[in-house]
Amino acid sequence: MAQRDYFGLIIVAVIVTLIPRLIENEYYIGILVFTALNCLTCMGLCLLMGYAGQISLGHSAFYGIGAYATGILTVTLAWSPWIALGAGACFAALVAVVVGVPSLRLKGHYLAMATLGFGAIVHIVFVAAVDLTGGPNGIARIPHLDLFGIELSTDKSFFYFSWAVVILGLFFALNLIHSRVGRGLRAIHGSQDAAGSLGVNTARYKIQIFILSAVYASVAGSLYASFVNYIDPGPFDVMHSVLLVTMVAVGGMHNIWGALIGAVLLSILPEFLSELSDYFGGVGISYNPDYDMLIYGGILLAIMLFLPGGLVEGIRNFLRFSFNAVAKIKRRAFS
Amino acid sequence: MRRSIVFTTVMTVVCLFFAANLCAESDEYRVGCAFAVTGAASWLGEPQKNTVEMLAKEINDAGGINGKKLVLYIEDTQGDNTRAVNAVKKLIQKNKVSVIIGPSRSGTAMAAIPVAEAAGIPMISCASAEIQLEPIDQRTNIFKVAPNDSDAIRIIYDHIVARGIKKVGIITGTTGFGAAGRTLMLEMAPEYELEIIADETYSPADTDMTAQLINIRNKGAEAIINWSIVPAQSIVPQNIRQLKIDIPFYQSHGFCNVKYAASAGESAEGTIFPCGRILAVDTLPDDNRQKPVLHDYKTKYEEQFKDHVSTFGGHAYDSLLLVVDALKAVGDDPKKIRDYLENAKFIGTGGVFQFSPTDHCGLDKTAFEMLTVKDGKFVVLGQ
C-alpha cells in the first residue's frame, strides 16, 4: 500500500467520525448508511471491472443473495445475524464459482450478457420461490445486528459500523491491489494473452476476483437486510446492477478511490435533487423524480465522452494540467 | 466595539430565527405523506397526492383545524423500499410530523413500518396487505384504511358458493398483491368447501396468458378467479374470450380501475369483482350510508383533476379525514393521535370503519360491493 493510500484511509476515517457531529439530523445519517452499502458493493465491482477488466451486470444478484441469506437464516431458522452474514458470503462465493467458471471464459459483450441474465434469473427466483423467500411479500422482522452486546438499532450506531466495514474493505482492497495478485490483475486487464505468457494464471485470478467482489456485495446485502429489517425482491433487480456499474464508471473504474467517490456521489444525488426541488418549490420550479434515470444517463454519457477515466482521473489530469500550466508561466516569467 | 456589534446582530438574527420557528410550530399541524407519486406505482400515488392536496386546501380555506393551519409534507417514495425508508425518516426527523399517511404499496409500507414503530409516530398505510398489521402487539402505531384482501375473497367465495360451483381455477400476478391473494385463496378454499383445481401465475410483463388459461380449462374449472393489480390482468379476459371459455369469470378488487376495464374492451363485459363503492356511486341505492361521502369526493375530485376517481385516492381521502378528526379531538401529540385512532369510528369512502385495539383496519367484508362491467361502466351487480 502506498503512503498516499494510508493518507486517504485516515481522511475517510476522520470524515466518518466527524459527520455525526456536524449533522444532527438522523435522516441524513440514514442516507449515508445506504451510501456505505453502495460503496462496499462498488469497491468489489471496481476490483472486477477496473483491475481485472471483466464486466458484471448482475451484481445486485449477489447483493440480494446476502440480503436473503440474512433474512431467511435469521427469521425462519433463528440464526445469529453474524453467522447468517458469514453463511451468506460463503453462499455468494459458491454461486460466484458456479457462475464464474463458465461465464468468465466469455469476453466483452458476451460476459456482460451472461451476467445480465444471471442477475435476472436470481431476481426471478426471489420473486417466485415463495416458500423460501416469501415471494413479493418479502421477509419482515429481520433482527438488528449487535456488536459486543450493543444492538445496532439506531441510524447513528449503524452508520459508524457500516463505514467501519467500508474502511476495512477498502484497506483489504488496497492491499490486494498493491500485491502480486493486484499486479497480475492489471496485467490481465492490459492483455490477457500477454499476462498468460508471463506466467500469470489468468483463469484462476479472474475467478478469485469474481468471488471476492461477490463476497463484498453479499456482505453489503446482509447489512442492508439487518438495517432495514425488511426485504422484498424490489431493491435487487437488474436496474440496481446497472446503477452500480454507473457508480463505478462515474467515479473511475481504474481506481478504487474512484469507485468510492462515484458511489457516494450517486447515492446522495437523488436526495440532493429532492432537497433542491423543495428549495425551488416555492418559486414554482418543481422537479419530478421520474427524471432521475435521465440525469443518471446524462451523467454517465458526459463522463464517458469527456472523462473516460472517470471523475477521479479527470480531476487528477486537470490538476496536473493546471500545475504544468502554472509552472510553464512561471518559467517563462523568470526567463 | 465593532466585534460586539457584530455579535449582537448575529445573536438577534439567531433569536429571531428561533422565535419564527417557535411561532410557526404553535400555529400549524404537520402531517406527513409518503406516496408513490412517480415510478411504476404512480397510478396509486398520484391520485393520493392530488386528493390530500385538494382536501388540505379546502380545510385551510375554511379556517384550518382548531384555528391552526394544516401543513402537509408530501414525499415521493417512487414505489422503492429504500426511498420509502428515507422518506419516512425525513418526515419524522426533519419535518417533525405528528402522523404519517402512506406509503402506497405494501412492500414500501413493510419497509417503512419499523421506522415509524421505532419513532412512535402513528402511520396510516394506504396499502392493502394484511401482514402489515401482524403481529398486532408489535404494530401499535400502524393502521390501515385499505380493505382486507381476505374480505374480498370471502365475498367472491360467497358468490361462487351461492351459484353451486365447486371447482375453481385461479390465475394470479406475481406481484405482492397477487402473491398475497394467491396464498389467501388457497388457504380459505376449504372453509367454503371449494376445490382449487388449477393454480396459475403470470408476471406483470407477460403479454399472453393463453397457456395458463388452457391449463385451467383442461382441468375442468367451473369458474376462474383472476387476482392481480397490474395492467397485464386486462389480457386475461381477452384471452378467455379468444379461447371461448364460457364459465363465470371473477376478478379481484385490483381490477377496480376504469382504465383496466377500458383496455380489456368488450371482453370485460360481465366480469364480476368486489370493489369499494366509489366506482359505482351513481348506481348505489340512496339509503347507503356511504353515498353522501362518496358522491362528495367523486364530484370534487373529477371536477378539479378531470380524471376518474379511484379507490386508491379514496384511501388517502379516508386517512386524511381520520387524521383531521384526531387533530380536532386531541391535538397533535402523536401518542394521543394513536390512542384516538385505535377507537375511531368513521364513515369514509372505503367503508364504515370501526377501529379497535385488536383491529387496526376497522373494515370487514361489507367494505366491498359486488360490481360488474356493463357497457364499459362499473355498475352494482343485481342480486
Side-chain angles (χ1 to χ4, degrees), chain A residues 245-262:
Chain A
V245 171
T246 313
M247 286 174 178
V248 173
V250 164
M253 263 185 235
H254 309 302
N255 192 323
I256 198 101
W257 293 103
L260 196 75
I261 288 169

PDB file of all heavy atoms in Angstrom, chain A residues 245-262:
ATOM      1  N   VAL A 245     -22.936  -0.295 -11.746  1.00  0.00           N
ATOM      2  CA  VAL A 245     -21.921  -0.124 -12.790  1.00  0.00           C
ATOM      3  C   VAL A 245     -21.743   1.363 -13.092  1.00  0.00           C
ATOM      4  O   VAL A 245     -20.623   1.850 -13.276  1.00  0.00           O
ATOM      5  CB  VAL A 245     -22.324  -0.905 -14.062  1.00  0.00           C
ATOM      6  CG1 VAL A 245     -21.401  -0.563 -15.218  1.00  0.00           C
ATOM      7  CG2 VAL A 245     -22.289  -2.393 -13.783  1.00  0.00           C
ATOM      8  N   THR A 246     -22.867   2.096 -13.114  1.00  0.00           N
ATOM      9  CA  THR A 246     -22.793   3.538 -13.367  1.00  0.00           C
ATOM     10  C   THR A 246     -21.940   4.222 -12.305  1.00  0.00           C
ATOM     11  O   THR A 246     -21.091   5.061 -12.613  1.00  0.00           O
ATOM     12  CB  THR A 246     -24.201   4.157 -13.347  1.00  0.00           C
ATOM     13  OG1 THR A 246     -25.054   3.354 -14.137  1.00  0.00           O
ATOM     14  CG2 THR A 246     -24.184   5.563 -13.880  1.00  0.00           C
ATOM     15  N   MET A 247     -22.179   3.844 -11.040  1.00  0.00           N
ATOM     16  CA  MET A 247     -21.416   4.457  -9.947  1.00  0.00           C
ATOM     17  C   MET A 247     -19.921   4.241 -10.146  1.00  0.00           C
ATOM     18  O   MET A 247     -19.123   5.177 -10.028  1.00  0.00           O
ATOM     19  CB  MET A 247     -21.824   3.836  -8.608  1.00  0.00           C
ATOM     20  CG  MET A 247     -23.185   4.290  -8.117  1.00  0.00           C
ATOM     21  SD  MET A 247     -23.652   3.391  -6.628  1.00  0.00           S
ATOM     22  CE  MET A 247     -25.216   4.171  -6.269  1.00  0.00           C
ATOM     23  N   VAL A 248     -19.559   2.997 -10.464  1.00  0.00           N
ATOM     24  CA  VAL A 248     -18.144   2.671 -10.640  1.00  0.00           C
ATOM     25  C   VAL A 248     -17.574   3.453 -11.820  1.00  0.00           C
ATOM     26  O   VAL A 248     -16.487   4.033 -11.749  1.00  0.00           O
ATOM     27  CB  VAL A 248     -17.954   1.155 -10.838  1.00  0.00           C
ATOM     28  CG1 VAL A 248     -16.516   0.841 -11.180  1.00  0.00           C
ATOM     29  CG2 VAL A 248     -18.363   0.406  -9.582  1.00  0.00           C
ATOM     30  N   ALA A 249     -18.347   3.513 -12.917  1.00  0.00           N
ATOM     31  CA  ALA A 249     -17.848   4.182 -14.116  1.00  0.00           C
ATOM     32  C   ALA A 249     -17.717   5.683 -13.905  1.00  0.00           C
ATOM     33  O   ALA A 249     -16.771   6.306 -14.388  1.00  0.00           O
ATOM     34  CB  ALA A 249     -18.780   3.893 -15.291  1.00  0.00           C
ATOM     35  N   VAL A 250     -18.667   6.265 -13.175  1.00  0.00           N
ATOM     36  CA  VAL A 250     -18.620   7.711 -12.951  1.00  0.00           C
ATOM     37  C   VAL A 250     -17.398   8.077 -12.119  1.00  0.00           C
ATOM     38  O   VAL A 250     -16.680   9.025 -12.408  1.00  0.00           O
ATOM     39  CB  VAL A 250     -19.913   8.194 -12.253  1.00  0.00           C
ATOM     40  CG1 VAL A 250     -19.731   9.583 -11.669  1.00  0.00           C
ATOM     41  CG2 VAL A 250     -21.057   8.203 -13.246  1.00  0.00           C
ATOM     42  N   GLY A 251     -17.151   7.300 -11.079  1.00  0.00           N
ATOM     43  CA  GLY A 251     -16.025   7.618 -10.206  1.00  0.00           C
ATOM     44  C   GLY A 251     -14.691   7.363 -10.879  1.00  0.00           C
ATOM     45  O   GLY A 251     -13.726   8.091 -10.675  1.00  0.00           O
ATOM     46  N   GLY A 252     -14.648   6.341 -11.662  1.00  0.00           N
ATOM     47  CA  GLY A 252     -13.383   5.974 -12.301  1.00  0.00           C
ATOM     48  C   GLY A 252     -13.094   4.526 -12.030  1.00  0.00           C
ATOM     49  O   GLY A 252     -12.868   4.127 -10.899  1.00  0.00           O
ATOM     50  N   MET A 253     -13.135   3.724 -13.111  1.00  0.00           N
ATOM     51  CA  MET A 253     -13.029   2.278 -12.954  1.00  0.00           C
ATOM     52  C   MET A 253     -11.657   1.839 -12.493  1.00  0.00           C
ATOM     53  O   MET A 253     -11.500   0.864 -11.799  1.00  0.00           O
ATOM     54  CB  MET A 253     -13.279   1.632 -14.299  1.00  0.00           C
ATOM     55  CG  MET A 253     -14.680   1.170 -14.481  1.00  0.00           C
ATOM     56  SD  MET A 253     -14.740   0.320 -16.026  1.00  0.00           S
ATOM     57  CE  MET A 253     -16.040   1.213 -16.812  1.00  0.00           C
ATOM     58  N   HIS A 254     -10.628   2.598 -12.905  1.00  0.00           N
ATOM     59  CA  HIS A 254      -9.272   2.101 -12.715  1.00  0.00           C
ATOM     60  C   HIS A 254      -8.690   2.498 -11.379  1.00  0.00           C
ATOM     61  O   HIS A 254      -7.505   2.396 -11.167  1.00  0.00           O
ATOM     62  CB  HIS A 254      -8.383   2.597 -13.859  1.00  0.00           C
ATOM     63  CG  HIS A 254      -9.000   2.300 -15.184  1.00  0.00           C
ATOM     64  ND1 HIS A 254      -9.315   1.018 -15.553  1.00  0.00           N
ATOM     65  CD2 HIS A 254      -9.427   3.105 -16.178  1.00  0.00           C
ATOM     66  CE1 HIS A 254      -9.882   1.063 -16.745  1.00  0.00           C
ATOM     67  NE2 HIS A 254      -9.972   2.302 -17.130  1.00  0.00           N
ATOM     68  N   ASN A 255      -9.553   2.978 -10.513  1.00  0.00           N
ATOM     69  CA  ASN A 255      -9.054   3.447  -9.235  1.00  0.00           C
ATOM     70  C   ASN A 255     -10.107   3.151  -8.173  1.00  0.00           C
ATOM     71  O   ASN A 255     -11.259   3.539  -8.307  1.00  0.00           O
ATOM     72  CB  ASN A 255      -8.814   4.956  -9.335  1.00  0.00           C
ATOM     73  CG  ASN A 255      -8.037   5.472  -8.158  1.00  0.00           C
ATOM     74  OD1 ASN A 255      -8.225   5.014  -7.034  1.00  0.00           O
ATOM     75  ND2 ASN A 255      -7.160   6.416  -8.421  1.00  0.00           N
ATOM     76  N   ILE A 256      -9.697   2.457  -7.131  1.00  0.00           N
ATOM     77  CA  ILE A 256     -10.663   2.057  -6.106  1.00  0.00           C
ATOM     78  C   ILE A 256     -11.248   3.279  -5.405  1.00  0.00           C
ATOM     79  O   ILE A 256     -12.407   3.298  -5.014  1.00  0.00           O
ATOM     80  CB  ILE A 256      -9.996   1.083  -5.108  1.00  0.00           C
ATOM     81  CG1 ILE A 256     -11.057   0.316  -4.320  1.00  0.00           C
ATOM     82  CG2 ILE A 256      -9.077   1.774  -4.131  1.00  0.00           C
ATOM     83  CD1 ILE A 256     -11.269  -1.053  -4.812  1.00  0.00           C
ATOM     84  N   TRP A 257     -10.450   4.353  -5.309  1.00  0.00           N
ATOM     85  CA  TRP A 257     -10.970   5.594  -4.723  1.00  0.00           C
ATOM     86  C   TRP A 257     -12.056   6.171  -5.600  1.00  0.00           C
ATOM     87  O   TRP A 257     -13.008   6.781  -5.121  1.00  0.00           O
ATOM     88  CB  TRP A 257      -9.841   6.615  -4.544  1.00  0.00           C
ATOM     89  CG  TRP A 257      -8.844   6.187  -3.522  1.00  0.00           C
ATOM     90  CD1 TRP A 257      -7.601   5.672  -3.763  1.00  0.00           C
ATOM     91  CD2 TRP A 257      -9.010   6.186  -2.105  1.00  0.00           C
ATOM     92  NE1 TRP A 257      -6.992   5.368  -2.580  1.00  0.00           N
ATOM     93  CE2 TRP A 257      -7.825   5.673  -1.540  1.00  0.00           C
ATOM     94  CE3 TRP A 257     -10.049   6.577  -1.264  1.00  0.00           C
ATOM     95  CZ2 TRP A 257      -7.646   5.536  -0.180  1.00  0.00           C
ATOM     96  CZ3 TRP A 257      -9.867   6.444   0.097  1.00  0.00           C
ATOM     97  CH2 TRP A 257      -8.686   5.931   0.632  1.00  0.00           C
ATOM     98  N   GLY A 258     -11.904   5.978  -6.904  1.00  0.00           N
ATOM     99  CA  GLY A 258     -12.909   6.463  -7.840  1.00  0.00           C
ATOM    100  C   GLY A 258     -14.242   5.795  -7.593  1.00  0.00           C
ATOM    101  O   GLY A 258     -15.290   6.445  -7.542  1.00  0.00           O
ATOM    102  N   ALA A 259     -14.204   4.461  -7.395  1.00  0.00           N
ATOM    103  CA  ALA A 259     -15.444   3.724  -7.143  1.00  0.00           C
ATOM    104  C   ALA A 259     -16.120   4.262  -5.893  1.00  0.00           C
ATOM    105  O   ALA A 259     -17.340   4.441  -5.843  1.00  0.00           O
ATOM    106  CB  ALA A 259     -15.141   2.242  -6.979  1.00  0.00           C
ATOM    107  N   LEU A 260     -15.304   4.544  -4.887  1.00  0.00           N
ATOM    108  CA  LEU A 260     -15.833   5.059  -3.625  1.00  0.00           C
ATOM    109  C   LEU A 260     -16.530   6.399  -3.854  1.00  0.00           C
ATOM    110  O   LEU A 260     -17.668   6.617  -3.424  1.00  0.00           O
ATOM    111  CB  LEU A 260     -14.671   5.228  -2.637  1.00  0.00           C
ATOM    112  CG  LEU A 260     -15.032   5.385  -1.181  1.00  0.00           C
ATOM    113  CD1 LEU A 260     -15.442   4.052  -0.621  1.00  0.00           C
ATOM    114  CD2 LEU A 260     -13.836   5.928  -0.416  1.00  0.00           C
ATOM    115  N   ILE A 261     -15.841   7.276  -4.579  1.00  0.00           N
ATOM    116  CA  ILE A 261     -16.395   8.620  -4.792  1.00  0.00           C
ATOM    117  C   ILE A 261     -17.637   8.562  -5.678  1.00  0.00           C
ATOM    118  O   ILE A 261     -18.641   9.218  -5.410  1.00  0.00           O
ATOM    119  CB  ILE A 261     -15.307   9.547  -5.378  1.00  0.00           C
ATOM    120  CG1 ILE A 261     -14.303   9.849  -4.266  1.00  0.00           C
ATOM    121  CG2 ILE A 261     -15.896  10.824  -5.938  1.00  0.00           C
ATOM    122  CD1 ILE A 261     -13.045  10.514  -4.727  1.00  0.00           C
ATOM    123  N   GLY A 262     -17.580   7.715  -6.717  1.00  0.00           N
ATOM    124  CA  GLY A 262     -18.751   7.564  -7.582  1.00  0.00           C
ATOM    125  C   GLY A 262     -19.953   7.077  -6.794  1.00  0.00           C
ATOM    126  O   GLY A 262     -21.070   7.585  -6.949  1.00  0.00           O
TER     127      GLY A 262
END
